[in-house]
Amino acid sequence: MICSTERLKELSKIIDKIKEKTFDINTQYKFIKISKVIREEEELINEQQFLLLKQYAEKNEDGQFIVNKSGGFKIKEECVEECGLKIMEMNNRQITLPDIYFSLDELEPLGLTLGELELFEPFIK
């Protein structure tokens, strides 16, 4: 199953939310398998983001990244466009998740919202 990098964060949040619930062990195992791949991808994404920061972010005299007013990192003025393109490229990268499927009956006891269920739609058969 193919998923964009950007979508991984939302899937991860939902899986973290349902970790506290008790439900069928087989369904739990499916979520564990998906979660494992997501965590590995998130580690790679974090490494890529740090490399982008090192390349494009402004630093103060102490070598610390400068934080802007909105809480993000300040990007060197001459690199804003190039950095934006790199971020878009990273967010649009396609990730292969395991071909694991859920029935609606398996997901029903989890109390997912419509938006959460929509994110898992590719996993539903």
Side-chain angles (χ1 to χ4, degrees):
M1 178 167 316
I2 305 297
C3 177
S4 70
T5 302
E6 194 169 40
R7 194 170 187 183
L8 288 182
K9 291 177 187 173
E10 294 302 316
L11 289 172
S12 183
K13 286 179 191 176
I14 296 169
I15 292 172
D16 284 343
K17 173 185 162 185
I18 62 174
K19 279 183 180 179
E20 303 302 316
K21 298 182 182 230
T22 303
F23 52 97
D24 181 73
I25 193 80
N26 294 311
T27 306
Q28 289 179 27
Y29 183 72
K30 290 177 184 181
F31 278 111
I32 289 169
K33 297 285 282 182
I34 293 169
S35 181
K36 182 179 177 183
V37 173
I38 290 174
R39 278 194 313 270
E40 290 170 1
E41 287 297 329
E42 286 178 328
E43 286 179 27
L44 293 171
I45 292 165
N46 289 339
E47 286 178 37
Q48 287 179 319
Q49 288 174 337
F50 183 71
L51 291 173
L52 287 176
L53 277 177
K54 283 177 55 176
Q55 185 174 359
Y56 297 113
E58 286 189 32
K59 296 179 183 176
N60 62 21
E61 54 278 346
D62 296 328
Q64 301 294 317
F65 296 119
I66 298 173
V67 177
N68 62 26
K69 293 176 186 174
S70 62
F73 294 102
K74 186 173 181 185
I75 304 301
K76 298 173 190 169
E77 196 66 39
E78 68 276 9
C79 300
V80 170
E81 188 175 329
E82 183 179 343
C83 181
L85 291 172
K86 294 282 186 184
I87 291 170
M88 282 178 40
E89 182 181 328
M90 188 172 61
N91 285 342
N92 291 326
R93 199 177 80 224
Q94 299 296 300
I95 306 301
T96 303
L97 294 175
D99 287 329
I100 293 174
Y101 298 99
F102 301 95
S103 70
L104 289 174
D105 290 338
E106 287 178 288
L107 298 177
E108 183 181 8
L110 303 179
L112 299 174
T113 67
L114 179 61
E116 292 167 339
L117 190 61
E118 185 176 29
L119 281 170
F120 275 101
E121 190 268 334
F123 296 95
I124 300 171
K125 268 200 170 180

